[in-house]
Amino acid sequence: MEQKLFVYNTLTRKKELFKPLHAPNVGMYVCGPTVYGDPHLGHARPAITFDILFRYLKHLGYKVRYVRNITDVGHLEHDADEGDDKIEKKARLEQLEPMEIAQLYTNRYHAAMDALNVLRPSIEPHATGHIIEQEELVKQILANGYAYESNGSVYFDIEKYNKDHHYGILSGRNLDDVINNSRELDGVDEKRNQVDFALWKRAMPEHIMRWPSPWSDGFPGWHCECTAMGRKYLGNHFDIHGGGMDLVFPHHECEIAQAVASQGDQMVRYWMHNNMITINGKKMGKSLGNFITLEQFFHGTHDRLTQAYSPMTIRFFILSAHYRSTVDFSNKALQASEKGLERLMNGINDLERIQAASTSDEATHQLVVTLRQKCHEAMNDDLQTPTVISNLFEACHAINSLLDHKGSINAEDLTELKAVMQLFAFDLLGLKSEKGSNNDAREAAYGKVVDMVLSLRAKAKAEKDWATSDQIRDALAENGFEVKDTKDGVTWKLNR
């Protein structure tokens, strides 16, 4: 059955049927990290969100070119046009070259994303590797009359642009509101209007990161890199541009203005944004100083954490909420995710313990024949990962019932159930087992023996031989097997 994917387009503020410009090819650009510090939970959310989209588009048969950039120059403090370059400031503090800082934290970002099972993008361009392309973008905007040079810097003329186009089309702001809400900045005397943003900045004498240009030795403005690199690798028009909701304004708004000012029309068809990770209702971020790094989560080394949380627990936590909803950090929520992930992994592992019968009971058969389509429908509805997880939990309930001999499943249905659980849990949601392979093999070998012993226990319980039932349970516990009697049936696991 052909799948029709609907995605929420921030530009139109509604869900739209996804129709790529050049099917089966899809071009997708996502704003990556500014590499001046360790990746934190806030970085994990867009990476996982667009990893899910990348995986699902490929599953639907599209050939996806996924571009995710590395910002290693031009991102000044407070997202402004004045102040220190974030990477250069860190380099001075650490007494390192700026590129050492950029490389160090790029490596650490990659390591964290690998742990979270985030697929690498097709292309990962660095801003410093595309200075020429950014200069060419500035030249085009100047030639079209939407920018001006001032004291060796080049600024985008927002008022001039707004007369011909609409600055604020993505964020829903009008220019008067932008002007009224803009704070005075140092160097504003270089600008015709305080809301104009830098396309190229003249480097001060102490500024290390600088390149020659027709205007001055300097560096590109933060917004230029994504417009220039998106166009280089995906063309003048491409399908999807993604990022965190905090980038809608000013970054993505400025990207739209740059594209229209340079080539006459928009580059991007679908703008997609994930919502924020918050702590006590405030956005988690380096600029606010309230972030927890992913390394701290993995090892439990932060005073806000009551324990360590595995990479897959973090991934499951993020996928348990829809990508456009806010997620507030708490140990309670993460512990619930840890238990939910364990339940799902146990259910998938328990599939190997089920023996196929000659027929399936009606309830099990109906669950199996509808599960795949229900999960597809959820994914097609703007990537409703919490609904997919809920559907997989329904399957786990059925698996427990089968293990407790409260139902039956034939070989065909069992094969389909295994395939759907593999597809959605592992291939599309990107979850994976975090147990060691040796332990997995040992547990598989013990599985049939434990099931046989539990069958004897079930028989003893049926005959109300409680002493034998408890004796079997206690003997298993002494050897590391935890047995639980639940409303869904008996479950067991081998404790490490």
Side-chain angles (χ1 to χ4, degrees), residues 116 125 212 236 241 432:
L116 292 169
N236 287 355
H241 194 316
K432 64 181 181 179

Side-chain angles (χ1 to χ4, degrees), residues 177-191:
D177 291 338
V178 175
I179 292 172
N180 292 335
N181 292 327
S182 296
R183 60 190 180 90
E184 293 288 341
L185 297 169
D186 294 336
V188 76
D189 58 323
E190 288 188 351
K191 303 180 183 182

